[in-house]
């Protein structure tokens, strides 16, 4: 095993925060794949202990781990840029050490297409089923992990085969998008050069991708840290905490508010709000937090 310095990082919280869905607890750490590499990671204080089932050099493995877990993100500065309100402060304090993972683009896109209207536990089951049926086996420490299947492999699967992985109606969307990506008609790597607006437009043109999924892929796959996905949890937080006196508020108004209020690190703010709400529930805050509303929103 190699050791990697990882100050200001919480491995368990990061992996359990609804960004990725294939890591599993094992021994004192976690097993998962990064691309095609099977990896075991455990945390001891400010140090990650890492073992890989393949054969990259220790230096190469260190770079892979540091890049994947975004250990170069200046987390203290990012958190300091968050709005100073009771809701955001509670989420920031709860989520100390949580980082935005840099995910492989196709894996990220496909996984979030599968995530539509699903809870985290169900997304994990779908991810595992896809990996076991269509991915490649990799061994590490006597255990077998599976890579996420390529777009080309998913494109060759029938809708019936995809539905067997508990995808439901999402099977048609995943298969159609896989064909576009696998054929090269949609080059996800080349899209890295696009502006945020153009990237979102391209993503939303794919089958099964709406604004929420597009923003997830922009944040987790393209490192567009302004992207602010709004799902059920986040919409509830926004409506109950930031617009408590407005019974009806348009989705467009919420999007505009998030873009202006949370700023250049809105994606981090969103992830902290999401994880805090999902773990604690939006109605289980202290009375003082319920009373302390941000002053930027007028009724």
């Amino acid at each position: 095993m190699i050791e990697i310095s990882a100050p200001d990082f919480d491995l368990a919280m990061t992996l359990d925060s609804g960004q990725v869905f294939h890591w599993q607890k094992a021994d004192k750490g976690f097993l998962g794949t990064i691309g095609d590499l099977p990896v075991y990671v455990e945390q001891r204080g400010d140090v990650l202990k890492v073992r890989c089932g393949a054969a990259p050099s220790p230096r190469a493995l260190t770079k892979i781990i540091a890049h994947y877990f975004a250990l170069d993100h200046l987390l203290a500065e990012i958190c300091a840029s968050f709005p100073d309100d009771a809701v955001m402060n509670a989420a920031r304090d709860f989520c100390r050490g949580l980082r935005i993972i840099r995910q492989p683009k196709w894996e990220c896109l496909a996984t979030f297409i599968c995530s539509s209207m699903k809870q985290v536990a169900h997304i994990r089951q779908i991810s595992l089923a896809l990996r076991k049926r269509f991915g490649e086996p990799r061994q590490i420490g006597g255990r077998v992990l599976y890579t996420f299947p390529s777009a080309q492999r998913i494109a060759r699967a029938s809708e019936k085969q995809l539905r067997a992985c508990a995808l439901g109606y999402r099977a048609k969307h995943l298969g159609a998008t896989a064909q576009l990506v696998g054929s090269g008609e949609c080059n996800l790597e080349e899209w890295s050069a696009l502006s945020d607006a153009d990237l979102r437009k391209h993503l939303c043109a794919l089958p099964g991708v709406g604004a929420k999924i597009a923003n997830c892929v922009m944040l987790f796959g393209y490192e567009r840290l302004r992207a602010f996905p709004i799902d059920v949890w986040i919409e509830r937080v926004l409506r109950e905490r930031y617009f408590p006196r407005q019974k009806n508020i348009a989705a467009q108004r919420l999007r505009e508010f998030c873009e202006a209020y949370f700023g250049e690190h809105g994606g981090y703010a969103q992830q902290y709000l999401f994880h805090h709400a999902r773990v604690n529930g939006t109605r289980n805050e202290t009375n003082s937090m319920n009373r302390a509303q941000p002053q930027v929103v007028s009724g």
Side-chain angles (χ1 to χ4, degrees):
M1 296 182 74
I2 66 170
E3 296 187 352
I4 301 171
S5 177
D8 204 9
F9 178 53
D10 190 314
L11 174 66
M13 182 178 294
T14 296
L15 291 177
D16 191 40
S17 63
Q19 302 180 58
V20 288
F21 307 95
H22 67 283
W23 290 84
Q24 53 190 279
K25 292 182 179 179
D27 301 325
K28 298 179 181 179
F30 297 85
L31 278 170
T33 58
I34 300 177
D36 290 337
L37 294 178
V39 177
Y40 170 79
V41 187
E42 67 179 60
Q43 186 167 19
R44 302 281 184 87
D46 287 345
V47 173
L48 297 180
K49 299 174 72 68
V50 183
R51 181 173 66 246
C52 182
S57 68
R59 183 175 181 180
L61 181 57
T62 296
K63 290 181 65 176
I64 291 169
I65 294 295
H67 181 267
Y68 183 76
F69 289 115
L71 299 183
D72 58 318
H73 282 175
L74 301 177
L75 201 57
E77 293 183 12
I78 289 172
C79 290
S81 74
F82 292 163
D84 184 13
D85 66 63
V87 184
M88 192 70 251
N89 289 340
R92 181 197 61 208
D93 292 344
F94 181 78
C95 295
R96 291 188 183 278
L98 193 163
R99 292 175 179 267
I100 299 295
I101 293 173
R102 293 184 177 105
Q103 298 182 38
K105 294 177 177 60
W106 161 246
E107 178 181 327
C108 181
L109 171 61
T111 301
F112 278 100
I113 288 175
C114 298
S115 76
S116 177
M117 304 300 291
K118 287 287 187 179
Q119 296 180 355
V120 170
H122 298 148
I123 305 168
R124 289 184 180 276
Q125 294 171 1
I126 291 172
S127 175
L128 180 60
L130 287 171
R131 288 168 180 271
K132 283 187 173 181
R133 183 150 190 171
F134 303 110
E136 297 293 331
R138 296 288 186 271
Q139 292 192 0
I140 179 171
R143 306 190 192 197
V144 177
L145 303 178
Y146 294 86
T147 64
F148 193 83
S150 67
Q152 291 84 352
R153 180 65 187 90
I154 293 291
R156 294 196 300 271
S158 67
E159 184 176 336
K160 181 178 180 180
Q161 289 175 317
L162 294 176
R163 282 181 174 269
C165 297
L167 279 167
Y169 69 88
R170 303 159 197 82
K172 184 176 182 179
H173 295 153
L174 181 62
T177 295
Q179 291 179 12
L180 292 172
V181 175
S183 68
E185 182 176 344
C186 296
N187 190 317
L188 299 183
E189 294 301 327
E190 288 185 356
W191 289 4
S192 296
L194 298 174
S195 67
D196 285 0
D198 286 342
L199 176 57
R200 186 178 291 108
K201 181 179 179 180
H202 277 64
L203 288 169
C204 285
L206 295 172
V209 179
K212 181 258 182 177
I213 291 175
N215 278 316
C216 285
V217 177
M218 289 174 66
L219 179 59
F220 304 127
Y222 286 88
E223 202 178 359
R224 304 299 176 92
L225 298 184
R226 291 190 70 99
F228 197 102
I230 300 178
D231 69 345
V232 173
W233 284 105
I234 291 298
E235 182 173 349
R236 186 179 302 162
V237 169
L238 294 172
R239 292 182 183 276
E240 292 184 1
R241 298 293 186 252
Y242 291 92
F243 296 89
R245 298 178 183 86
Q246 298 186 34
K247 292 184 179 180
N248 297 310
I249 180 169
Q252 179 63 27
R253 173 72 178 99
L254 289 180
R255 289 193 293 269
E256 291 172 352
F257 167 75
C258 293
E259 173 70 19
Y261 187 65
F262 294 103
E264 64 176 323
H265 297 121
Y268 258 100
Q270 182 273 351
Q271 192 63 20
Y272 280 35
L273 289 168
F274 170 82
H275 186 60
H276 182 239
R278 188 170 66 90
V279 173
N280 295 286
T282 57
R283 297 186 182 276
N284 294 331
E285 317 297 343
T286 63
N287 289 333
S288 61
M289 181 176 168
N290 285 335
R291 290 194 300 268
Q293 298 296 338
Q295 299 302 307
V296 297
V297 181
S298 61

